[in-house]
Amino acid sequence: MPALTGPDHTAANTATHRLTQTRKTELVELGRRLSDDLAKAHTFRDPDLTDEANQRRRAEMERAARKQAAADLDRIQRETDAAATLVRTVANNATATPAAGAAEQLLTETQQARAWDRARALLTAGRTLSEVIKGADRDTLNALRAELPTYLATQRTKPQGLASADFTEPDPSRAVPAVERSLVDRLPKPQGAALRARLDLDALEPGLRETPAGLRREVDGTTDPSNGLRSAIAARLADQQAAPFPST
């Protein structure tokens, strides 16, 4: 596995922390500032001006508030896009499989195939995915990461009788990140840190898309009174969907 320099994975961790703060703080402050500025615009009244002049001034203040908020939101989205690109680039570089000779590649493939056979046997015998992940070594986790999507896609037969009541179809999009989170602790520290940063990004991004989308509607003036609640629910659902399958 290629070496990863300290600044790279440190920069990735810093970027994911920045994205977390962007959603929790910066976007919230932007929404509050826009709301305050629009309230000032709508209630503006200068007794020395005519009604018509006051109306023009209110419209000017509203346009200025929306223009400033739009510029701020554009900047935030450029910064979040750049941070996400940085995290993925670092993670991809850190976890890329280096070129190997034929003998080494055959050995790796053989080890992974044997690890998958053992893991599949456990799953077939009734072990839960969480149990298999918990007891897995690095070879097994790599095998699970490669083979789980196909395996889970074949496990679509709902059990009969009472067992069907609690049946939940495994979701590869959540199961594989759970495998990768366990793999983090078995990788060399820089590579593990880079992979963790990417997994954190994967969990952050869906909600981080929903929150600015709601704000954009407010900035554009296309929102409705229920928009705030709708955006909050959409962001929460996105967070839940992005959460990994529990590995413990």
Side-chain angles (χ1 to χ4, degrees):
M1 184 169 288
L4 179 66
T5 61
D8 284 339
H9 78 267
T10 299
N13 288 334
T14 299
T16 55
H17 176 72
R18 177 78 176 85
L19 288 169
T20 300
Q21 293 306 115
T22 293
R23 182 178 175 190
K24 288 184 176 180
T25 303
E26 195 166 1
L27 289 171
V28 172
E29 290 177 351
L30 174 56
R32 185 180 298 118
R33 189 164 58 248
L34 174 61
S35 179
D36 290 345
D37 289 346
L38 290 177
K40 290 177 182 177
H42 295 160
T43 58
F44 174 82
R45 184 178 184 281
D46 186 337
D48 294 329
L49 297 178
T50 64
D51 288 344
E52 184 179 349
N54 272 310
Q55 289 176 0
R56 285 198 301 269
R57 181 59 179 148
R58 284 193 287 268
E60 291 169 0
M61 291 173 66
E62 179 176 344
R63 282 194 297 271
R66 293 190 188 282
K67 182 178 180 180
Q68 182 60 58
D72 291 340
L73 187 54
D74 288 343
R75 172 186 55 78
I76 290 172
Q77 292 193 303
R78 286 194 300 271
E79 291 173 354
T80 56
D81 288 346
T85 298
L86 169 64
V87 172
R88 289 212 163 86
T89 298
V90 170
N92 289 340
N93 290 340
T95 58
T97 302
E104 185 179 353
Q105 183 175 351
L106 179 61
L107 176 61
T108 298
E109 291 175 354
T110 300
Q111 290 173 331
Q112 184 166 310
R114 289 174 177 170
W116 170 240
D117 286 342
R118 293 192 296 270
R120 182 175 55 188
L122 291 173
L123 291 168
T124 302
R127 295 286 183 88
T128 65
L129 180 55
S130 296
E131 290 171 336
V132 175
I133 292 174
K134 187 175 181 180
D137 59 16
R138 182 170 163 180
D139 284 338
T140 302
L141 290 171
N142 279 322
L144 287 168
R145 182 163 62 164
E147 303 294 343
L148 263 181
T150 300
Y151 174 81
L152 293 179
T154 67
Q155 307 303 302
R156 298 186 180 276
T157 302
K158 188 173 183 177
Q160 299 296 316
L162 293 176
S164 66
D166 297 325
F167 176 75
T168 301
E169 183 177 303
D171 182 355
S173 69
R174 299 182 65 208
V176 173
V179 172
E180 292 181 320
R181 286 200 178 275
S182 292
L183 184 60
V184 160
D185 295 329
R186 291 166 176 79
L187 291 173
K189 193 169 183 178
Q191 283 78 22
L195 178 57
R196 181 181 290 109
R198 198 219 77 206
L199 290 167
D200 290 343
L201 171 65
D202 289 344
L204 277 170
E205 270 196 317
L208 196 55
R209 285 194 296 269
E210 289 294 341
T211 303
L215 267 176
R216 182 68 69 181
R217 289 189 291 271
E218 293 184 32
V219 169
D220 294 342
T222 58
T223 188
D224 58 60
S226 65
N227 179 70
L229 179 59
R230 182 180 66 178
S231 296
I233 292 173
R236 180 60 178 163
L237 289 174
D239 289 338
Q240 292 175 345
Q241 187 63 32
F245 183 89
S247 60
T248 57

